[in-house]
Amino acid sequence: MSQSYYVFRSGRLRRRQNTLYIEWEDQNGQVDRQPIPIENVRDLYLFAEVDLNTKLLSFLAQNGVVVHFFNYYGFYAGSFYPRESNVSGHLLVCQVEHYLDGEKRLALAREFVGGAMFHIRRNLNTYRDAGRRVEEALAVVEEGLERVGSVKSIAELMGEEGRVRDAYYKAFNDILNLAEPFEKRVRRPPDNPLNALLSFGNSLLYAATLSEIYVTQLNPTVSYLHEPGQRRFSLALDLSEVFKPLIVDRLIFRLLNCKEIENEDFEALGEARGVILKDSARRKFVRRFEEVMQTTVKHRRLKREVSYRQLLRLEAYKLVRHLVEMEPYSAFRAWW
């Protein structure tokens, strides 16, 4: 069964026959290597300085392996997205048609935002039941859910989503035991530990979603909620929006409330360069993230166990069925 590999050790990726090798120098200057059968690799996440060449990239492309690159600070840098072998001109035409048609685009965007708000409300309800004072944020979310269906434009929808998320982020002060109040979401660069965790977790989810889109016939650059643009796979932003509160936010709540990650796990890079997780904290976060992605639930429709990672792929296939007019798209909403 294929799986994701996260590389934190600097070294080199090589191909030898039909096996992928990760090589590095030990403390004595001797070269150690770890073989990874290529058929076991779904995708690669590179967090260290890793050398590779075009021969290796060609090998990965032949086997449909997506590679995600993160820079020295742990920020997502980009992905190597192999040439798609599973392509459909008809689906691409349908994707573009749904983008160009304002009503069709808005209908999809409403579902992405509605699914995200549903999971935000679910998180808040969990902590309200645990005695946390999140009623004010819940009221804003309920209003947002009511208004999503009546917005007239993408801009209005994004404004409604922003209002809900602002209230949600303020509620983090009641959900978490923070040393300093969390005031607002800051991305580039993150200005405090919580923003650093959100940015890192969201980038992992974005990359995982992109890997699942690759398996389908969808074009990752044609999106509906987020404006398609250069240098990004914006459809992965659309689909991951639904799962951020369910996967990333819940993981962060657990890590901080259980003190698995604490203030000493972060490093300040100066006023303009923000705050990042130390390497050891990134490893810890990735380990827990992968545990979540491998967690399974009984799918109500398929009547079998599926992992959170498989839910991402199923969401992409639901979008495919909508685009070819087989079945209207309804964003994923957790039922457990």
Side-chain angles (χ1 to χ4, degrees):
M1 182 177 179
S2 61
Q3 63 186 75
S4 299
Y5 284 84
Y6 301 85
V7 179
F8 286 92
R9 177 181 282 137
S10 295
R12 185 172 185 84
L13 282 173
R14 291 184 182 275
R15 170 192 180 177
R16 184 167 297 177
Q17 295 181 341
N18 286 323
T19 301
L20 178 67
Y21 283 87
I22 301 176
E23 299 179 346
W24 67 93
E25 285 190 5
D26 62 19
Q27 295 178 345
N28 300 318
Q30 301 296 314
V31 176
D32 285 338
R33 60 176 56 90
Q34 177 183 348
I36 305 175
I38 193 65
E39 61 269 17
N40 291 353
V41 184
R42 175 194 300 112
D43 50 10
L44 293 168
Y45 296 71
L46 306 184
F47 294 93
E49 294 185 13
V50 177
D51 296 330
L52 44 82
N53 55 30
T54 55
K55 183 178 179 181
L56 186 279
L57 289 176
S58 177
F59 178 56
L60 295 174
Q62 290 170 14
N63 289 276
V65 176
V66 181
V67 186
H68 306 293
F69 298 90
F70 295 77
N71 66 18
Y72 173 79
Y73 303 108
F75 300 144
Y76 174 79
S79 297
F80 169 69
Y81 196 79
R83 185 181 67 182
E84 296 166 315
S85 57
N86 186 20
V87 295
S88 168
H90 173 64
L91 181 59
L92 178 58
V93 170
C94 292
Q95 265 192 268
V96 175
E97 178 192 355
H98 279 70
Y99 169 76
L100 294 175
D101 187 310
E103 290 187 8
K104 291 181 177 180
R105 179 185 177 188
L106 184 58
L108 284 170
R110 282 173 178 157
E111 274 301 310
F112 296 138
V113 172
M117 287 185 183
F118 175 90
H119 291 120
I120 286 173
R121 181 178 63 183
R122 183 175 182 269
N123 287 349
L124 292 173
N125 278 330
T126 297
Y127 283 93
R128 181 199 60 186
D129 295 344
R132 304 300 175 95
R133 295 175 297 177
V134 297
E135 288 80 6
E136 185 176 340
L138 266 171
V140 175
V141 176
E142 294 291 355
E143 290 177 6
L145 283 165
E146 290 180 6
R147 293 175 181 173
V148 162
S150 60
V151 296
K152 303 300 183 184
S153 68
I154 298 295
E156 188 181 350
L157 180 63
M158 295 285 275
E160 200 61 47
E161 182 198 26
R163 192 176 69 88
V164 166
R165 285 198 177 274
D166 285 345
Y168 177 51
Y169 289 138
K170 286 179 183 177
F172 282 17
N173 292 296
D174 295 299
I175 293 173
L176 301 167
N177 300 315
L178 300 173
E180 298 181 1
F182 183 60
E183 296 181 357
K184 63 180 180 178
R185 179 77 173 100
V186 177
R187 294 170 176 79
R188 301 190 183 122
D191 63 346
N192 60 43
L194 186 48
N195 273 317
L197 281 170
L198 286 166
S199 292
F200 186 66
N202 288 344
S203 65
L204 286 176
L205 181 60
Y206 167 81
T209 304
L210 181 59
S211 291
E212 297 308 317
I213 289 174
Y214 177 74
V215 178
T216 73
Q217 296 175 319
L218 289 166
N219 185 302
T221 64
V222 182
S223 54
Y224 306 98
L225 174 61
H226 297 85
E227 194 67 36
Q230 296 181 348
R231 297 181 298 176
R232 69 176 185 177
F233 299 108
S234 48
L235 185 60
L237 294 173
D238 281 4
L239 291 176
S240 63
E241 197 74 24
V242 177
F243 292 90
K244 284 178 185 177
L246 178 66
I247 295 176
V248 177
D249 296 352
R250 287 176 61 195
L251 175 57
I252 290 172
F253 297 158
R254 190 181 78 188
L255 289 172
L256 292 180
N257 282 336
C258 295
K259 300 187 182 301
E260 290 189 53
I261 289 182
E262 300 185 272
N263 283 338
E264 55 266 28
D265 289 312
F266 299 88
E267 179 181 356
L269 298 176
E271 261 184 54
R273 298 169 68 189
V275 174
I276 63 169
L277 283 88
K278 293 180 179 177
D279 185 66
S280 58
R282 283 180 220 154
R283 293 170 184 256
K284 192 182 302 181
F285 192 103
V286 164
R287 190 180 308 117
R288 295 303 187 199
F289 176 80
E290 188 59 28
E291 288 175 3
V292 171
M293 297 302 280
Q294 292 180 17
T295 300
T296 61
V297 295
K298 182 70 174 290
H299 198 283
R300 291 191 300 186
R301 186 169 179 177
L302 300 179
K303 306 299 182 185
R304 62 178 174 84
E305 296 289 324
V306 298
S307 68
Y308 275 48
R309 189 179 295 276
Q310 289 171 316
L311 289 173
L312 298 178
R313 185 179 300 187
L314 291 172
E315 198 71 4
Y317 279 127
K318 281 164 57 181
L319 181 57
V320 171
R321 290 196 295 273
H322 174 92
L323 294 172
V324 298
E325 299 182 346
M326 288 178 60
E327 180 181 358
Y329 173 75
S330 177
F332 176 78
R333 290 166 172 82
W335 56 83
W336 57 90

